[in-house]
C-alpha cells in the first residue's frame, strides 16, 4: 500500500483575509472565516482567484458544501476568459450517483472515472496539470485522468492561466489551498505518440477545429441526394 505524495508547495491563502485574491467579475462577495474562504453574497456565477497565472502545477485544497451544492475549480484560464470556455473547470457537485457532471468532471466535456467525495464533509481535492495531461484525486482516490490533446473540444485550450474556486449560489467553503509549481513543457513524449482515432472523434475534430481539414486523414466528402413525393 505504498503511496507517494508531492510536496504541497506554497500556500495561496494566509487563512486570515483575502490578501492576493479577488472576484473575477465583481459579482460576488467572499470573506475568510475559521481559515476558510466563504461566499457571503451570491450575485450570480463567479470565481475567487489570485492574479498570478500558472502553467504546470499541482493544486491541492479542501472544500465542503451543502447537500446538492454546485461549485468548481478553475485552471489555466485566460486573464479575461471564462473557465468552461477558455480554460477548464473541474466540477464540484454534490449529487447522488455517478453522472456526467459529477465531481472532477471536465465541465461540459468529460465525466469523471469515479466518485470519492463525501456529502456535507470536508473533502481533499488535488488537481495536477502537466502539459495537456490533467489528473485529479478526491480524498486520495484517482477520479479523473485524461490527455486533453485527445479531446477535440478542449485540445486547444490555454496551457497557462489563472486558477480559482467557484461560487454557484450554494454554501461552499474552501481552505488549505496550496500550489506546487512545476517546469513548463508538454510532459512525456509517449503521451503524444500517434494512435488510432475513433471515427466519431475524427468527425468531431473536423467540425470543431478547422485546421483538421488541412490534414490528409483519408476522409473524403460527397453528396447524396434524393427526392420525396408530396405527402
Amino acid at each position: 500500500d505504498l503511496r507517494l505524495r508531492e510536496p504541497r508547495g506554497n500556500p495561496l491563502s494566509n487563512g486570515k483575509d483575502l490578501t492576493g485574491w479577488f472576484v473575477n467579475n465583481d459579482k460576488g462577495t467572499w470573506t475568510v472565516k475559521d481559515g476558510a474562504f466563504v461566499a457571503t453574497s451570491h450575485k450570480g456565477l463567479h470565481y475567487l482567484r489570485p492574479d498570478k497565472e500558472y502553467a504546470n502545477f499541482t493544486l491541492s485544497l479542501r472544500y465542503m458544501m451543502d447537500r446538492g451544492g454546485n461549485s468548481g475549480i478553475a485552471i489555466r484560464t485566460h486573464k479575461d476568459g471564462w473557465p468552461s470556455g477558455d480554460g477548464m473547470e473541474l466540477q464540484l457537485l454534490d449529487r447522488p450517483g455517478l453522472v456526467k457532471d459529477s465531481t472532477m468532471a471536465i465541465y461540459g466535456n468529460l465525466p469523471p472515472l469515479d466518485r470519492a467525495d463525501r456529502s456535507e464533509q470536508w473533502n481533499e481535492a488535488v488537481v495536477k496539470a502537466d502539459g495537456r495531461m490533467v489528473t485529479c484525486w478526491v480524498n486520495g482516490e484517482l477520479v479523473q485522468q485524461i490527455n486533453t490533446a485527445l479531446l477535440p473540444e478542449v485540445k486547444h485550450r490555454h496551457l497557462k492561466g489563472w486558477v480559482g474556486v467557484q461560487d454557484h449560489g450554494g454554501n461552499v467553503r474552501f481552505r488549505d489551498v496550496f500550489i506546487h509549481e512545476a517546469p513548463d513543457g508538454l510532459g512525456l513524449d509517449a503521451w503524444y505518440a500517434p494512435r488510432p482515432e475513433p471515427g466519431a472523434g475524427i468527425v468531431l475534430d473536423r467540425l470543431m477545429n478547422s485546421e483538421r481539414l488541412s490534414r490528409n486523414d483519408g476522409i473524403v466528402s460527397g453528396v447524396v441526394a434524393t427526392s420525396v413525393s408530396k405527402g
Side-chain angles (χ1 to χ4, degrees), residues 16-18 29-33 36-40 48 174:
K16 299 177 182 179
D17 55 39
L18 294 172
T29 304
W30 294 69
T31 189
V32 175
K33 183 178 181 181
F37 292 135
V38 180
T40 58
L48 180 70
F174 297 93

Side-chain angles (χ1 to χ4, degrees), residues 179-200:
I179 195 161
H180 177 60
E181 293 187 77
D184 291 351
L186 290 177
L188 301 178
D189 291 340
W191 294 347
Y192 306 99
R195 66 192 67 196
E197 296 179 89

Side-chain angles (χ1 to χ4, degrees), residues 109 152-154 156 203-211:
N109 295 285
E153 303 95 324
V154 298
H156 293 310
V203 172
L204 184 59
D205 201 7
R206 290 169 64 95
L207 290 171
M208 299 198 68
N209 301 298
S210 58
E211 98 287 347

